Amino acid sequence: MPKVTNFDVIVIGTSQGGRFLPMAFSKAGRKVALVERGPLGGVCVNSGCTPTKTMVASARVAYLARRAADYGVRTGSISVDLQAVRKRKQDMVEGARNNFAGLITEVQGLDLDLLTGEARFIAPKTLEVSLKEGGTREITAPLIFIDTGGRPKQLAIKQVGNVSVLNSTTIMELDSLPEHLLIIGGGYIGLEFGQMFRRFGSQITIIQHHPRLLMNEDEDVSDEITKIFREDGITVLIGGTPQRLEQLGDNRIQLTVRTREGEQQVNGSHLLAAIGRVPNTEALTPEAAGIRLDKSGYIEINERLETSVPGIYALGDVKGGPAFTHVSFDDFRILRTNLLEHGSASTRDRVVPYTIFIDPQFGRIGMSEREARKQGRNIRVAKLPMNAVIRALETGETRGFMKAIIDADTKQILGCAILGLEGGELMAIIQVAMMGKLPYTTLRDAIFTHPTLAEGLNTLFVTIDS
Ligand SMILES: Cc1cc2nc3c(=O)[nH]c(=O)nc-3n(C[C@H](O)[C@H](O)[C@H](O)COP(=O)(O)OP(=O)(O)OC[C@H]3O[C@@H](n4cnc5c(N)ncnc54)[C@H](O)[C@@H]3O)c2cc1C
């Protein structure tokens, strides 16, 4: 029988939640094991937020450079060096990863063991770790935190094995520009990559199975984004269900799509599948510990992030629900509050903001108009095109609109959708008002600096009374 090492706490995965928990527990004097099978930092740092937003920044520079003449600035012809873009991204990722590695070393004086390898449950509180360096180790603890996240869902259509299919990770390692990138999926990952590669110089076709892009947003949001993407020269094929793939000569890929009008062939040089993500629970074998999963493989938790097994918790994407880094970090805060600070935190009534880093940015929080109407709420809707915002006009970036949903009785803001320059930052201002339960009139009558984008909020909320 292999010897089992006892810890007070085991954390599996080193993402937002997984990186802070081990440190918090070791600083509190606990003996902690942290297990990671991949690069330190998880998806956000290595293949999610950090690399994509770094590349989005390069794409935006290319976009503005091409529009230089609009601002009276002369430039030469614009071209993008994808290898240099990738190098900038890789440096950024490496910096973030090293930063995290440094944090762990800092607490090395405390009782924190980093085990590099894949963990799987072999009994309720016992894990076997297949170490990268070879061999296995058995570890046990009364407290276990699962932060194993997710990975891209694989495309499953006929003859998919015939072609090379990119995912959100592999596309960022291309060293030459796709001539024509086909993207299956009109969610946020498909949109961010679609616009990014269009700006780098590729032709883009987005194939969306649903009747509109960003299916969970209000229709006016989807329509405006579709309009913007088409203006940018991106082909958006709505309501198209991918059927089969074929590798043609000349490195061409042919995708057959079923539409209402019949079958249609779309040809491209590369194919990106951006069709969602699946939880990393197979290799972990949580069922060996009696941990219940839902039918999609996500770990079932309650509002205190407790799994079906006492002492075992799940945080981040692996538990389902909104899959964002700030959610994973908030999960960490809940666990720290409850387990180290004797508090009583939960996910109940948690309002999760998000930003989609297309250009113009799309910031969202709270209820959409559709959700509010479905609930039969008595609402008023404030809406303002960005071309009515002086700052947007001055900077020549007037696409999109701001929209806020207001409870007609309490005058409080229920939610907002800001599709516009720095939409994520503007949304955060409204988020703070929502957190403070302020009536919309406070923002309507606030003094904001002229000329900032925030000043547009005065005008947005004035529309309610006009
Ligand atoms: C392309 C892309 C762009 C994104 N952009 C944004 C954004 O702009 N903003 C935002 O908020 N979110 C963004 N996200 C989502 C964000 O990255 C995730 O929500 C976040 O990383 C989830 O963190 P997590 O705690 O679930 O763990 P993850 O980051 O998924 O990390 C889990 C870790 O667990 C490890 N692991 C898994 N199984 C095992 C095992 N059995 N043993 C040992 N280790 C294991 C993995 O190697 C991994 O390191 C993006 C995601 C993608 C893919």
Side-chain angles (χ1 to χ4, degrees), residues 12-18 35-50 52-53 117-120 147-152 168-169 172 188-189 192-193 277 280 283-284 315-318 322-329 355 357:
I12 313 160
T14 56
S15 192
Q16 275 298 309
V35 191
E36 174 58 66
R37 69 178 180 190
L40 286 180
V43 170
C44 180
V45 164
N46 293 287
S47 54
C49 334
T50 304
T52 52
K53 273 73 237 185
E118 187 168 81
R120 71 180 180 102
D147 185 24
T148 52
R151 61 184 190 281
S168 60
T169 306
M172 289 190 282
Y188 87 90
I189 291 181
E192 286 186 3
F193 280 117
R277 295 180 62 82
N280 287 328
L284 187 68
L315 63 159
D317 292 3
V318 75
F324 298 110
T325 291
H326 41 281
V327 170
S328 180
F329 187 70
T355 296
F357 291 82

